[in-house]
């Protein structure tokens, strides 16, 4: 029904009853107890917004770090996409508790979801979530052994902006061994754990399309390093059934009522 943080808020507001009595924080319950949630809580939850941002390079997904600006700073009336199909209007309370559901590195671009709704966050990044995330990844081939695998916390070289209109200058697909493409799809391990199967295909001669159902830190870059590829550009274009579409870089829109991840 909600996130743990929302549940704490509901209990604090007196919106949760156990066996007909308002529940105090920390009350132990059994399967035999009757738990009721006031309709006010549901109405409060329905007012919460989910925002889709086309994150540009140079912004961090979460809290400000190392002097870099958080992506939520881009959520304001000036950057609201003029072609947003929803009828929502921006108001400052929508920024309260607005947090990223998943992350993109500072020099990765594309679809970033920010939400006030714990149900949406759990759907995308919950422990049991297997939601697909789709990426376009521009690469160069260095051959196995030349790309040194990095620790997940180690910062890689900055990426380049991916522009779909860029001319294709190299044919990585022609020289990259097919057996290594199969390893990207299934057979690699990170942090001592085997990775779940991924969908990996060539989008054009220098760009791969990745579809993942998990999100280890810097996962795509580290996967590529294991097979001799160096990532030079990364863009997320889809989460579940929601796509980036025509949303311009640095602008945002609301998740429409009819859209579902």
């Amino acid at each position: 029904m909600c996130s743990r943080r929302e549940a704490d808020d509901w209990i604090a507001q007196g919106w949760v009853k156990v066996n007909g009595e308002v529940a105090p924080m920390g009350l132990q319950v059994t399967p035999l107890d009757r738990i009721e949630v006031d309709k006010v809580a549901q109405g409060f939850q329905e007012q919460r917004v989910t925002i889709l941002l086309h994150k540009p390079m140079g912004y961090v997904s979460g809290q400000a770090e190392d002097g870099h600006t958080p992506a939520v700073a881009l959520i304001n009336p000036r950057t609201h996409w003029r072609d947003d199909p929803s009828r929502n209007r921006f108001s400052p309370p929508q920024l309260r508790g607005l947090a990223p559901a998943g992350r993109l590195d500072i020099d990765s671009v594309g679809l970033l979801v920010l939400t006030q709704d714990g149900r949406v966050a759990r759907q995308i990044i919950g422990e049991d979530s297997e939601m697909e995330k789709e990426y376009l990844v521009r690469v160069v081939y260095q051959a196995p052994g030349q790309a040194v695998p990095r620790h997940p916390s180690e910062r890689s070289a900055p990426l380049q902006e991916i522009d779909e209109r860029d001319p294709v200058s190299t044919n990585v697909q022609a020289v990259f061994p097919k057996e290594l493409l199969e390893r990207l799809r299934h057979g690699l391990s990170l942090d001592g754990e085997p990775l779940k199967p991924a969908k990996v295909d060539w989008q054009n001669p220098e760009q791969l399309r990745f579809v993942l159902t998990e999100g280890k830190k810097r996962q795509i870059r580290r996967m590529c390093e294991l097979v001799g590829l160096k990532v030079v550009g990364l863009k997320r274009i889809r989460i579940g059934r929601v796509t980036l579409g025509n949303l311009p870089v640095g602008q945002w829109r609301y998740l429409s009522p009819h859209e579902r991840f």
Side-chain angles (χ1 to χ4, degrees):
M1 293 183 66
C2 63
S3 69
R4 293 182 184 182
R5 183 180 297 175
E6 285 175 318
D8 286 344
D9 289 342
W10 292 2
I11 294 168
Q13 294 284 348
W15 294 340
V16 179
K17 291 182 179 180
V18 176
N19 300 325
E21 296 186 3
V22 173
M25 195 70 73
L27 178 68
Q28 298 291 314
V29 296
T30 73
L32 300 178
D33 290 314
R34 188 178 75 258
I35 301 172
E36 300 169 274
V37 178
D38 197 298
K39 290 182 179 179
V40 174
Q42 185 176 351
F44 181 77
Q45 198 172 41
E46 287 173 353
Q47 295 172 15
R48 300 197 162 188
V49 299
T50 295
I51 284 172
L52 312 177
L53 170 68
H54 189 159
K55 188 187 92 64
M57 297 181 77
Y59 288 82
V60 291
S61 297
Q63 299 295 319
E65 56 183 68
D66 299 331
H68 298 296
T69 306
V72 72
L74 289 168
I75 311 304
N76 59 66
R78 296 184 305 279
T79 53
H80 187 191
W81 188 30
R82 60 185 297 178
D83 294 329
D84 186 344
S86 82
R87 297 181 179 179
N88 284 13
R89 290 189 177 184
F90 176 79
S91 63
Q94 293 170 357
L95 296 174
R96 266 188 231 124
L98 191 67
R103 66 192 301 276
L104 280 173
D105 292 335
I106 187 169
D107 48 4
S108 298
V109 303
L111 181 59
L112 182 67
V113 176
L114 301 126
T115 186
Q116 293 178 314
D117 192 335
R119 295 170 300 178
V120 173
R122 191 175 66 180
Q123 192 179 8
I124 296 173
I125 58 172
E127 291 181 8
D128 56 349
S129 174
E130 293 190 353
M131 184 167 292
E132 290 188 345
K133 287 95 174 175
E134 183 174 349
Y135 303 82
L136 298 179
V137 185
R138 185 158 291 172
V139 293
V140 295
Y141 184 45
Q142 299 178 306
Q146 293 182 29
V148 180
R150 299 172 186 268
H151 189 272
S153 62
E154 185 179 352
R155 191 174 293 280
S156 302
L159 303 187
Q160 304 167 5
E161 185 79 66
I162 288 183
D163 187 336
E164 302 313 311
R165 297 165 295 182
D166 284 348
V168 174
S169 55
T170 56
N171 192 343
V172 183
Q173 182 180 4
V175 296
F176 187 63
K178 291 183 179 179
E179 61 270 20
L180 293 183
L181 183 64
E182 289 301 323
R183 284 198 69 203
L184 279 175
R185 291 169 176 158
H186 195 210
L188 296 177
S189 296
L190 291 177
D191 307 323
E193 295 181 358
L195 295 174
K196 294 179 181 178
K199 299 174 185 175
V200 186
D201 297 286
W202 288 104
Q203 187 79 3
N204 65 44
E206 64 173 19
Q207 192 166 283
L208 287 162
R209 183 182 71 96
F210 275 73
V211 180
L212 305 180
T213 57
E214 58 189 334
K216 292 183 179 292
K217 192 170 184 179
R218 307 178 85 80
Q219 179 171 337
I220 290 177
R221 292 203 216 187
R222 295 165 67 202
M223 289 173 69
C224 287
E225 287 168 352
L226 290 173
V227 295
L229 291 172
K230 179 183 178 182
V231 175
V232 295
L234 189 148
K235 180 179 185 178
R236 183 159 62 200
I237 59 171
R238 177 173 66 88
I239 297 176
R241 289 173 286 183
V242 175
T243 62
L244 183 63
N246 297 323
L247 184 62
V249 177
Q251 296 186 30
W252 60 274
R253 69 174 180 87
Y254 293 101
L255 183 74
S256 300
H258 67 274
E259 287 183 293
R260 295 289 182 272
F261 286 101

